Amino acid sequence: MKHKDLIKQMTLEEKASLMSGKDFWQTMDIERLGVKSMFLADGPHGIRKQAAAADHLGLNPSIPATCFPTAAAVANSWDVLLGEVMGYYLGREAVAQKVNVLLGPGINMKRNPLAGRNFEYLSEDPYLTGKLAAGMIRGIQANGISACVKHFAVNNQEERRMAIDTIVDERTLREVYLTAFEIAIKEGHTQTVMSSYNMLNGTYANENMHLMRDILRDEWNFDGVVVTDWGGSNDRVAGLLAGNELEMPTTADETNEEIIQAVKAGKIKEDVLDECVDRLLELSFTTGEVLKEPHQEIDIASHHEMAQRVSEESIVLLKNEGNILPLKKGVKVAVIGDFAKEARYQGAGSSNVNPTILSNTLESLEESGIVSIGYEQGFDRYGKKNKKKVDQACAIAKQANVVLLYIGLDEVTEAEGLDRQSMEIPENQVELLHALYEVNPNIVAVLSCGSVVEMPWIDKVKGLLHGYLSGQAGAKAILRILAGDVNPSGKLAETYPIRYEDTPSYYHFPGKEVSVEYREGPYIGYRYFDTANVNVLFPFGYGLSYTTFEYSNLQVNKNDVTFDLKNTGSMAGMEVAQLYVGCQSSDIFRPAKELKGFTKTNLQPGETKNITIPFDDKAFRYFNIKTNKWEIEEANYDILIAASSTDIRLRGTTFVEGTGAPLPYDKAALPSYYTGKVNDVSLTEFESLLGYKAPVAIWDRTKPLGYNDTIAQCQYAKGLFAKFSFHAISFAHWFLRKIGKRSTANLIMMSIYHMPFRGIARMTGGIINMPMLDGILMIVNGHFFKGLRHVLKERRKMLKVRKDKKLARVTEGM
């Protein structure tokens, strides 16, 4: 231990106090020993440090900070160095705001297109995710503070996220859902990890010894701090034993007392607690050094420019029929769409940033050189149909050479705590597009959303530029690409299916009651589509340029591949070359190919560069469930150099010696997995993959409700008061949506409907404690008066204890 002498001076109570927050965002301090509080702030794409009342849902405004593009956009850059530089800028702002730990990046896999937080995550591919995250972490931590990679692990839905049990086989867990964390931790050297809300195979993530001890600590040698997601602690003692040091937010000493009693009873050895204290102290002291220096203001303008640069590299050109883009000089455009006036540039929830500057499309048009004949709103942002707005938009479209149509998803459709209901964009926007097409077919659509959408209307547009959620400078970045000042170089970090029904997890997303079964195994995203030969709208890794690139002269060596890349067009541009590897053996099921390397190269017209992409330790490995470790199958491997997962430019093969491990599967028992056609795997076959019986996925409606049951389950409660409360909440949600108060309706679903009962205690900062919660559960389960008496009695007891403690502290200080 690094701080053994300091820890020896601490009382048991002081050690326990460090294990949970002082308030919503700060850790506990110990003044007499010089241990200072740390400040933790949300910040995957900008600092969200709240100046006034704190919350975890993005309701109250934060101190202004640069709003960079969200992770879903940054991933489209495929540029590790760019992510590192962006991380450095984020870290500088964190230091300026006296933040010790920046809560990001978020790196959960995009298992399903409807997952509500996809805008905040990087990719469907663990290799791309891990490499980009490692870069961002290095950049953030170069400033002397800590990044916090999240949410560990397998947190891939928002509905019931605090209680859902994720059922996934070990190989899929390792290869798909943990590889990004492995890369981020080993290559990014993150000092902090955030555990996720959900259960993993029957145990809460932050209590899961296999996840937290066997893998994170022992296998990956992580020696930093693990912090719970806010309100994510279930059993505090079990979490601490698993190595989850810090619980946030404060529980007003309630769980600290649980730790103290566990140590006294011998449930936790004090040595284990000391190890946790040591890691927290190391984080506090190392991140605290830079914060001792005089406060430095950031250069707002230069940070805004950096946000624009990231946005320019992250925007993806998806369609360019007849080279309608870049816009020719002097072309008259009609600008239509509500998102042109008020940009959709970030998601909603805990990552919501208060931008320092906000670029505006209409205000930036003249500077861009694009000739606009006017603007019309065209549609209501939140989906209400309005024929007058459509008619006004069509009238101006008739007079233009080209229509610039800004469409997408609104702020309340993509939000933390809620999964999307469909992959469609609002019907009123589609109806506007069809109407515009009838009067002017020269339409360039600019799409603003943080996740995948269906595009049955794509034949009605000649150009399609996807800005994703491009941050505070995104509006100007988009105009620069439209005008040809910047050559688009973004490529999709996720696959766009033709229909939602085509996705492999269609039948098993989200988990609605007890559990969610990952029956598709390792076949998510392009791993499924390319293996099962399912047509897609846009493949993983796809993106157009205003120039063209030629690949040639592939050489496959023992440790790397080399090839030539030439810009064969007339404009300078950047190309993302992708390395995929596929195993020719069929003894072990696996995707047809997997991303194992990539590089982004800037080339002048006519310029050729020789590119090298190395094979690393992940190029040929697979996880063997019999040996319980990574192995290599001896076989010939396809080596594919590609412009996207379906656009293979160069092919080679190489023979790789294996590790001689036994074959892990009975091929006859897993026919779907050996063909890759896994969109509707039977329970029997899934259980063969798991190696055990899957738990029953629906609630037992006969049992009394407990700590980890949700408010939604009150519909089955024995208590009339609980049933009435459930129907009142459901009606309030319906009514608020009906009258257009969708943000407030969403809040009900996020913070009430899917909240487990224990969350009432964990998220109220000590206003309600667990003994009081016992009384609430008595009421819910049909014992109204007994429960009410219990709540009032425990509240009086809690207030007396706090009063006595406060008096004791005052007496000690005299």
Side-chain angles (χ1 to χ4, degrees):
M1 291 195 301
K2 296 179 180 179
H3 306 283
K4 196 171 184 179
D5 292 341
L6 181 60
I7 294 169
K8 280 182 179 178
Q9 300 175 53
M10 293 182 185
T11 64
L12 175 59
E13 288 73 18
E14 285 174 329
K15 293 175 187 178
S17 75
L18 293 175
M19 299 295 105
S20 67
K22 180 166 73 173
D23 54 30
F24 208 85
W25 296 114
Q26 293 186 92
T27 64
M28 189 61 73
D29 58 332
I30 304 176
E31 283 188 31
R32 74 178 186 88
L33 296 174
V35 178
K36 297 188 180 300
S37 294
M38 289 185 287
F39 197 101
L40 296 83
D42 281 311
H45 64 273
I47 317 301
R48 192 179 79 92
K49 183 177 181 181
Q50 290 172 304
D55 71 83
H56 193 51
L57 298 171
L59 301 177
N60 296 317
S62 54
I63 298 167
T66 308
C67 180
F68 290 91
T70 68
V74 175
N76 295 332
S77 75
W78 290 65
D79 191 330
V80 174
L81 182 58
L82 182 73
E84 188 166 338
V85 175
M86 175 181 143
Y88 183 73
Y89 276 71
L90 282 167
R92 282 170 62 176
E93 294 199 27
V95 170
Q97 293 195 24
K98 301 295 183 185
V99 169
N100 299 72
V101 180
L102 192 59
L103 302 175
I107 65 170
N108 294 101
M109 290 296 97
K110 297 184 180 183
R111 173 182 179 244
N112 185 282
L114 302 186
R117 220 165 171 180
N118 277 353
F119 67 87
E120 207 174 325
Y121 299 138
L122 288 157
S123 176
E124 66 187 33
D125 181 80
Y127 190 87
L128 176 60
T129 295
K131 292 292 184 178
L132 291 169
M136 290 178 68
I137 291 164
R138 287 192 296 268
I140 291 167
Q141 295 189 165
N143 293 276
I145 57 136
S146 173
C148 178
V149 69
K150 61 184 188 181
H151 306 85
F152 190 64
V154 205
N155 178 191
N156 308 108
Q157 70 177 63
E158 291 300 286
E159 185 167 325
R160 287 184 47 75
R161 62 181 177 167
M162 293 182 77
I164 199 73
D165 189 3
T166 300
I167 310 301
V168 59
D169 69 283
E170 183 72 10
R171 181 180 167 203
T172 298
L173 174 68
R174 295 300 199 104
E175 292 185 10
V176 175
Y177 295 99
L178 295 188
T179 292
F181 284 98
E182 179 187 359
I183 296 170
I185 287 163
K186 288 183 176 180
E187 298 181 19
H189 303 289
T190 185
Q191 294 175 259
T192 315
V193 170
M194 182 187 290
S195 57
S196 58
Y197 284 125
N198 54 285
M199 287 191 281
L200 171 59
N201 293 328
T203 305
Y204 276 96
N206 78 309
E207 302 167 11
N208 194 304
M209 297 296 280
H210 179 53
L211 187 66
M212 291 292 174
R213 287 284 183 186
D214 299 344
I215 298 173
L216 180 64
R217 300 289 186 188
D218 298 341
E219 189 177 318
W220 297 348
N221 297 315
F222 176 69
D223 62 356
V225 168
V226 178
V227 57
T228 67
D229 203 341
W230 265 237
S233 175
N234 172 51
D235 182 322
R236 185 65 189 105
V237 173
L240 197 68
L241 285 169
N244 200 141
E245 289 88 357
L246 181 58
E247 177 187 18
M248 292 298 287
T250 182
T251 59
D253 296 333
E254 182 181 13
T255 54
N256 299 341
E257 188 61 33
E258 291 176 14
I259 294 169
I260 292 166
Q261 294 308 318
V263 171
K264 289 179 176 178
K267 292 180 181 176
I268 300 177
K269 292 181 180 179
E270 195 160 354
D271 289 350
V272 173
L273 177 59
D274 288 350
E275 287 176 11
C276 292
V277 171
D278 190 62
R279 288 193 285 259
L280 268 168
L281 290 174
E282 179 66 10
L283 182 65
S284 176
F285 293 146
T286 55
T287 61
E289 280 300 309
V290 70
L291 303 186
K292 292 177 183 175
E293 298 172 10
H295 176 76
Q296 290 186 344
E297 295 289 340
I298 65 159
D299 183 337
I300 290 174
S302 69
H303 280 236
H304 182 75
E305 287 171 11
M306 183 62 203
Q308 182 177 314
R309 179 185 156 196
V310 176
S311 181
E312 287 172 357
E313 272 206 50
S314 304
I315 293 164
V316 188
L317 180 61
L318 294 176
K319 185 176 181 181
N320 196 17
E321 184 182 318
N323 291 323
I324 194 169
L325 293 176
L327 295 169
K328 311 300 184 287
K329 296 295 180 185
V331 164
K332 294 178 180 177
V333 304
V335 181
I336 296 170
D338 192 53
F339 297 120
K341 187 175 182 182
E342 290 185 36
R344 173 83 209 290
Y345 61 95
Q346 67 173 328
S350 64
S351 66
N352 195 273
V353 177
N354 183 10
T356 54
I357 304 170
L358 186 57
S359 294
N360 180 282
T361 300
L362 300 181
E363 292 172 2
S364 304
L365 274 169
E366 188 175 345
E367 182 188 348
S368 73
I370 296 172
V371 180
S372 169
I373 63 168
Y375 162 78
E376 286 294 342
Q377 183 180 353
F379 62 85
D380 179 86
R381 195 179 194 88
Y382 298 106
K384 188 176 179 181
K385 295 183 180 181
N386 188 315
K387 187 176 183 303
K388 183 179 178 183
K389 287 179 180 175
V390 173
D391 291 343
Q392 289 170 334
C394 288
I396 194 172
K398 289 178 183 177
Q399 303 168 38
N401 303 122
V402 173
V403 174
L404 289 183
L405 177 62
Y406 284 72
I407 55 177
L409 299 177
D410 60 63
E411 291 80 356
V412 294
T413 298
E414 297 181 287
E416 177 183 354
L418 294 165
D419 296 312
R420 290 162 59 206
Q421 298 303 303
S422 81
M423 263 176 55
E424 299 170 355
I425 64 170
E427 189 178 347
N428 65 336
Q429 295 183 38
V430 178
E431 289 181 358
L432 169 65
L433 172 56
H434 286 299
L436 291 170
Y437 181 78
E438 293 301 319
V439 299
N440 189 339
N442 295 319
I443 299 172
V444 173
V446 177
L447 191 58
S448 297
C449 53
S451 45
V452 170
V453 293
E454 291 177 3
M455 302 182 196
W457 40 263
I458 195 166
D459 60 330
K460 296 292 195 296
V461 301
K462 288 188 175 178
L464 178 59
L465 197 66
H466 199 339
Y468 269 73
L469 300 180
S470 52
Q472 67 180 50
K476 190 171 180 182
I478 287 167
L479 288 174
R480 281 172 54 77
I481 287 177
L482 291 171
D485 298 325
V486 172
N487 191 349
S489 63
K491 294 207 174 190
L492 294 175
E494 56 191 332
T495 307
Y496 275 59
I498 295 170
R499 307 174 309 147
Y500 176 55
E501 291 82 356
D502 294 337
T503 58
S505 54
Y506 171 71
Y507 292 105
H508 298 282
F509 179 90
K512 287 286 185 181
E513 296 194 8
V514 173
S515 63
V516 54
E517 296 170 352
Y518 285 32
R519 292 197 192 182
E520 70 279 0
Y523 298 98
I524 73 167
Y526 73 89
R527 285 168 164 76
Y528 166 71
F529 295 110
D530 292 357
T531 306
N533 294 313
V534 176
N535 289 330
V536 299
L537 182 64
F538 296 115
F540 175 80
Y542 175 86
L544 300 175
S545 171
Y546 293 152
T547 191
T548 53
F549 299 96
E550 179 182 271
Y551 294 68
S552 63
N553 300 327
L554 174 66
Q555 290 190 9
V556 181
N557 308 306
K558 183 177 181 182
N559 298 315
D560 59 37
V561 296
T562 64
F563 56 94
D564 290 337
L565 184 62
K566 182 179 181 180
N567 183 342
T568 53
S570 58
M571 185 177 184
M574 289 185 278
E575 172 70 340
V576 176
Q578 302 153 42
L579 166 65
Y580 295 88
V581 173
C583 184
Q584 293 183 5
S585 167
S586 60
D587 289 341
I588 301 169
F589 72 80
R590 60 177 81 201
K593 56 181 172 293
E594 297 177 282
L595 183 74
K596 298 298 181 179
F598 59 92
T599 184
K600 191 167 190 175
T601 306
N602 193 0
L603 293 164
Q604 295 299 313
E607 183 181 10
T608 300
K609 287 184 180 177
N610 186 253
I611 307 298
T612 300
I613 302 178
F615 296 130
D616 63 13
D617 63 330
K618 297 165 188 66
F620 304 105
R621 74 179 191 176
Y622 76 96
F623 193 83
N624 187 303
I625 57 170
K626 281 192 176 176
T627 64
N628 196 37
K629 63 181 183 179
W630 295 100
E631 305 282 4
I632 295 174
E633 183 181 6
E634 186 164 299
N636 287 312
Y637 288 81
D638 294 318
I639 304 301
L640 310 171
I641 302 299
S644 79
S645 71
T646 61
D647 185 4
I648 311 302
R649 300 296 182 90
L650 301 171
R651 294 176 180 270
T653 59
T654 190
F655 175 77
V656 179
E657 291 183 6
T659 49
L663 294 177
Y665 300 114
D666 174 6
K667 198 170 185 178
L670 303 169
S672 301
Y673 297 103
Y674 275 87
T675 62
K677 297 183 179 190
V678 294
N679 61 321
D680 196 12
V681 174
S682 71
L683 179 60
T684 301
E685 188 176 352
F686 179 55
E687 289 177 339
S688 294
L689 180 67
L690 286 174
Y692 57 87
K693 282 274 187 189
V696 176
I698 58 172
W699 292 314
D700 182 345
R701 287 152 169 77
T702 64
K703 287 174 60 178
L705 298 185
Y707 294 144
N708 289 316
D709 293 312
T710 64
I711 310 299
Q713 289 169 258
C714 284
Q715 60 189 299
Y716 309 117
K718 293 179 180 178
L720 291 176
F721 180 79
K723 285 184 177 179
F724 173 79
S725 298
F726 167 78
H727 289 296
I729 290 166
S730 299
F731 174 78
H733 177 259
W734 172 84
F735 181 73
L736 287 165
R737 285 187 66 86
K738 194 77 174 171
I739 64 173
K741 302 286 186 182
R742 292 174 62 196
S743 293
T744 310
N746 285 353
L747 185 61
I748 288 174
M749 297 302 284
M750 283 189 283
S751 58
I752 302 175
Y753 193 82
H754 293 303
M755 174 81 75
F757 283 98
R758 66 176 164 79
I760 297 171
R762 297 293 189 238
M763 291 291 279
T764 54
I767 296 172
I768 295 173
N769 64 12
M770 293 300 282
M772 289 170 67
L773 184 60
D774 290 335
I776 292 171
L777 285 169
M778 288 178 198
I779 293 170
V780 166
N781 289 311
H783 306 287
F784 182 84
F785 293 107
K786 181 181 177 183
L788 183 60
R789 285 194 297 272
H790 189 87
V791 170
L792 296 173
K793 175 183 142 189
E794 291 299 334
R795 178 164 176 77
R796 285 193 296 270
K797 192 188 294 183
M798 178 184 74
L799 293 174
K800 183 179 184 305
V801 168
R802 288 182 188 171
K803 186 178 179 181
D804 291 346
K805 282 185 177 180
K806 189 175 180 181
L807 184 62
R809 282 196 293 267
V810 170
T811 304
E812 283 176 15
M814 292 176 66

